[in-house]
Amino acid sequence: MQVADVFCSTCECALCSDCVPEHEQHPKVPLSQALEQHRSLLQERLGAVQTRLPQISDALSFVKEILHQLTSQRGSIEEDIQSSFEDLHKQLDVRKSVLLMELEVTYGLKQKVLQAQIDRLLRGDEDISSVCTQTEEALAGEACAANLQVERDLGERLGELAHLCIPSQPEENDQLDLILETDGLRKSIHNLGTILTTSAVASQSEAMGAGLEQSIVGHPASVTIVTRDKSGGACKSGNAILSAEVFTPDGSIIDGEIVDHKNGTYEFVYTVPKEGDFSLALRLYNQHIKGSPFKLKVIRASEVEVEVGGVVRTECQDCRPVQQQCSCQNRNPNFCECPFSSGTKGRNKGEFTNLQGVAASSIGRILIADSNNQCVQIFSNEGGFKSRFGVRGRTPGQLQRPTGVAVHPSGDIIIADYDNKWVSIFTSEGKFKAKLGSGRLMGPKGVSVDQNGHVIVVDNKACTVFIFQLTGKLITKFGSRGNGDKQFAGPHFAAVNKNNEIIITDFHNHSVKVFTPEGELVLKFGSNGEGNGQFNAPTGVAVDTNGNIIVADWGNSRIQVFDGSGSFLSYINTSADPLYGPQGLALTSDGHVVVADSGNHCFKVYRYLQ
């Protein structure tokens, strides 16, 4: 067969000389040209496919990381299950020992009484039987003067025995019962523990609602998030790990609250204090959902009518003051000028991007959790930069949005790592030592240390306070989502007073709550508003040596001072250098209040006279 030098474009095949007549009506091109075109097309397709290799590699790494995290979570949960059930076994064994001991003690007391009565009855029986036998023998013998005295003695003894007090009625009873209400316990054990998960994926989940594109200054706005599985089917259960952040044009973050409706849908409620163009990021398991981040425009409210002295006048909603000046300067010394501020927006040493938590050490150091720069920066009490440490990442020793910081009496630095969902412990030189809370925490925001050296962790997402030993062993936890006395709505930071009571700022409930180390409510104060003692989302908190409580009032951009019973004392005067969205605060070793001014990308130090 002889192959012709032609190619049939219709049939896409090379033609032999015998077949050419059969393809007479078909368009044909030289075979060399066809081969060149095919090679060119093949090369193009090869290039297109090869470009997918890096995508597959990235996806493979990402999925492997998720699998690694999943395996790590399984290990942590398995450890928790083992530990919890071992504790339950120990408690059951202790209770068993206590019940057996109570049984022996109670039996012993009753047995002693009954045995003593038996002994007395036996002695009485023996005495009566003996005397009766002797008397019968005497009566059986011949009556004579020689036996008279013996018979007289027997008669007296019989008289005594006739009136002998014999305990014929039982002096104790035989009741020994056990009430062991196991039905409720068995039911509790049957329902003890739940493995929570969802099949939701970020790539299929979506958001909707008016608050997705526009909101009004100072007014709550909401967004609904619908979670879906890999096939796009709606998830029907809750407990997915969502995060939501509103980024201001200058890079700082505005907090909000995520409400889990437990049916696969969630609501994010937020309030923006100023107008402008913002960005709304919605993440599911740390991945952006469809369309995220969203462009958000915040506008001023329309004018509203306000009645003043019986006369109706119009007032812009945004013209109402957010910072209340203190009017008691001459009668309370808890405020003064602002000695200095330190920092500006940026990523270099001494610069910040969304600073959050603040701590002060006994050796004259100020520590700042620089959230978006993924580090902790350390300064002198005078504001001089000393050092910084932290590397962005999701492995132990790295940071992923640090929000809280505290100093342990040992000198170790404790950091709440919000997105890594654990607490990291570093040496005073910034060397990583350990982590705690992995697998338990959902969004640790604030940390503190109690009088026993235990680590207090405020879990913003779980609305729960955890108390750990420095080794990572969980001591106790308390709190849930809600507006009850022992509930929270987006709690932020914590402080501990000299009574070892734990003080928590309850952000969306606009209050401060004080608890015992066991989680019992001691005190609650504050309500939503702008007046003395009211809050618009409290954040940072500290306690002075007199037990007074200093609170950063985020939405009102001020700092308030209360006594130990929650009564309002004063403001710290910040008018010389106003705050904008204060976050964490602390008392320095030289008697100043240091506060993270997140909106102004700096920290400020005010004199605090106790």
Side-chain angles (χ1 to χ4, degrees):
M1 178 183 68
Q2 184 180 359
V3 177
D5 240 359
V6 291
F7 180 86
C8 178
S9 301
T10 301
C11 300
E12 295 187 344
C13 63
L15 303 178
C16 67
S17 56
D18 294 335
C19 296
V20 169
E22 297 177 10
H23 296 262
E24 186 177 355
Q25 302 301 319
H26 296 172
K28 293 178 283 293
V29 296
L31 180 59
S32 59
Q33 179 183 339
L35 291 174
E36 184 179 346
Q37 289 175 348
H38 274 266
R39 283 293 182 94
S40 176
L41 180 61
L42 186 61
Q43 185 66 46
E44 182 181 339
R45 289 178 177 176
L46 174 63
V49 171
Q50 285 178 331
T51 59
R52 302 204 62 191
L53 289 175
Q55 299 173 6
I56 294 173
S57 178
D58 291 343
L60 183 62
S61 298
F62 191 34
V63 174
K64 281 184 176 179
E65 180 184 352
I66 293 174
L67 178 58
H68 175 74
Q69 293 286 353
L70 178 66
T71 305
S72 175
Q73 287 287 85
R74 184 195 65 176
S76 297
I77 292 173
E78 184 178 4
E79 182 181 331
D80 289 346
I81 291 172
Q82 295 286 1
S83 174
S84 297
F85 277 83
E86 284 175 7
D87 288 343
L88 287 174
H89 278 302
K90 289 178 182 177
Q91 291 182 34
L92 285 171
D93 286 340
V94 168
R95 185 57 185 161
K96 173 185 172 183
S97 299
V98 168
L99 284 174
L100 290 173
M101 185 182 299
E102 288 181 1
L103 175 63
E104 288 303 311
V105 170
T106 305
Y107 167 77
L109 293 173
K110 284 177 167 284
Q111 184 267 346
K112 185 177 181 180
V113 171
L114 291 171
Q115 189 61 53
Q117 184 179 4
I118 288 172
D119 291 344
R120 292 200 303 274
L121 288 171
L122 288 172
R123 285 196 299 271
D125 180 76
E126 184 180 349
D127 290 346
I128 291 174
S129 296
S130 176
V131 172
C132 287
T133 300
Q134 294 176 25
T135 304
E136 288 172 349
E137 290 176 352
L139 290 174
E142 185 179 351
C144 62
N147 295 331
L148 184 60
Q149 185 58 44
V150 172
E151 292 177 1
R152 185 180 293 118
D153 291 342
L154 288 172
E156 289 178 0
R157 184 60 179 148
L158 287 171
E160 291 174 0
L161 291 173
H163 296 90
L164 179 65
C165 182
I166 297 175
S168 58
Q169 297 300 316
E171 295 179 347
E172 210 8 305
N173 59 62
D174 62 352
Q175 183 183 12
L176 265 182
D177 293 327
L178 172 65
I179 298 177
L180 203 60
E181 297 178 352
T182 59
D183 288 345
L185 180 60
R186 290 177 190 276
K187 185 179 292 185
S188 296
I189 292 174
H190 180 74
N191 297 317
L192 181 62
T194 303
I195 305 299
L196 296 177
T197 189
T198 76
S199 55
V201 294
S203 60
Q204 296 292 335
S205 299
E206 53 195 355
M208 59 193 70
L212 201 59
E213 297 178 349
Q214 180 175 296
S215 71
I216 299 174
V217 173
H219 289 246
S222 68
V223 174
T224 299
I225 300 102
V226 179
T227 56
R228 300 185 183 277
D229 61 24
K230 64 179 182 179
S231 302
C235 296
K236 302 298 183 183
S237 61
N239 301 300
I241 299 177
L242 277 165
S243 65
E245 298 165 326
V246 177
F247 291 90
T248 65
D250 57 13
S252 58
I253 296 176
I254 293 173
D255 288 313
E257 179 185 6
I258 296 176
V259 179
D260 185 351
H261 295 303
K262 302 298 182 182
N263 61 359
T265 67
Y266 304 78
E267 186 176 9
F268 174 54
V269 182
Y270 65 92
T271 303
V272 181
K274 64 178 182 179
E275 63 181 323
D277 294 321
F278 294 76
S279 173
L280 171 58
L282 298 174
R283 294 183 178 89
L284 177 66
Y285 301 110
N286 296 315
Q287 302 169 52
H288 284 286
I289 69 169
K290 278 185 179 179
S292 177
F294 302 92
K295 292 182 179 179
L296 174 65
K297 189 172 186 62
V298 181
I299 61 174
R300 287 183 173 273
S302 57
E303 292 188 334
V304 297
E305 290 188 342
V306 180
E307 185 172 335
V308 181
V311 178
V312 175
R313 66 180 178 87
T314 59
E315 176 183 73
C316 176
Q317 189 80 3
D318 300 316
C319 293
R320 296 179 181 177
V322 295
Q323 178 173 332
Q324 181 162 342
Q325 301 300 323
C326 179
S327 61
C328 55
Q329 186 166 355
N330 295 326
R331 57 185 177 84
N332 194 298
N334 284 319
F335 39 86
C336 191
E337 77 281 357
C338 174
F340 65 86
S341 62
S342 178
T344 184
K345 183 182 179 182
R347 300 193 177 278
N348 297 317
K349 295 177 181 179
E351 298 177 341
F352 305 103
T353 307
N354 190 31
L355 65 170
Q356 293 277 312
V358 177
S361 73
S362 59
I363 60 172
R365 294 290 182 264
I366 295 171
L367 295 86
I368 306 292
D370 191 0
S371 182
N372 285 15
N373 284 335
Q374 321 295 345
C375 69
V376 168
Q377 302 203 47
I378 304 176
F379 300 80
S380 68
N381 279 355
E382 295 72 37
F385 176 82
K386 292 295 183 182
S387 63
R388 63 183 273 178
F389 64 89
V391 177
R392 180 182 186 130
R394 296 190 175 276
T395 60
Q398 297 179 321
L399 300 176
Q400 194 75 18
R401 195 179 167 195
T403 52
V405 61
V407 180
H408 194 271
S410 65
D412 288 339
I413 298 171
I414 301 166
I415 301 172
D417 196 335
Y418 194 89
D419 282 349
N420 277 332
K421 304 178 184 64
W422 62 56
V423 170
S424 293
I425 302 173
F426 292 80
T427 67
S428 57
E429 292 79 28
K431 303 295 185 183
F432 176 73
K433 291 181 67 176
K435 67 174 182 176
L436 57 85
S438 179
R440 296 182 186 271
L441 303 173
M442 295 176 62
K445 176 79 174 182
V447 286
S448 186
V449 180
D450 71 7
Q451 306 288 349
N452 301 315
H454 297 150
V455 179
I456 315 296
V457 183
V458 182
D459 194 322
N460 176 266
K461 283 188 178 179
C463 293
T464 302
V465 176
F466 291 81
I467 304 178
F468 294 93
Q469 292 180 356
L470 203 59
T471 59
K473 179 178 175 59
L474 177 66
I475 298 173
T476 189
K477 64 178 181 177
F478 59 88
S480 60
R481 183 179 298 278
N483 55 14
D485 287 345
K486 293 179 66 174
Q487 294 182 308
F488 305 103
H492 268 48
F493 293 101
V496 179
N497 64 19
K498 58 186 177 182
N499 297 326
N500 208 33
E501 294 168 337
I502 302 167
I503 304 165
I504 306 293
T505 51
D506 196 353
F507 190 84
H508 291 291
N509 283 331
H510 309 289
S511 61
V512 174
K513 296 174 180 178
V514 183
F515 296 88
T516 67
E518 295 73 35
E520 296 301 319
L521 182 73
V522 176
L523 173 67
K524 171 185 173 183
F525 61 91
S527 60
N528 189 16
E530 300 172 359
N532 295 351
Q534 293 185 309
F535 301 109
N536 184 3
T539 47
V541 61
V543 185
D544 68 18
T545 55
N546 296 322
N548 296 322
I549 302 170
I550 304 100
V551 183
D553 189 357
W554 179 81
N556 289 324
S557 290
R558 63 188 181 185
I559 302 173
Q560 302 192 63
V561 184
F562 301 82
D563 66 17
S565 64
S567 297
F568 172 79
L569 292 178
S570 66
Y571 300 98
I572 290 181
N573 187 3
T574 60
S575 58
D577 192 0
L579 297 166
Y580 177 55
Q583 286 281 348
L585 61 78
L587 287 174
T588 65
S589 57
D590 59 354
H592 291 77
V593 173
V594 54
V595 57
D597 190 355
S598 63
N600 289 317
H601 303 287
C602 66
F603 68 87
K604 293 176 179 175
V605 179
Y606 300 89
R607 185 171 294 118
Y608 180 75
L609 304 176
Q610 300 185 40

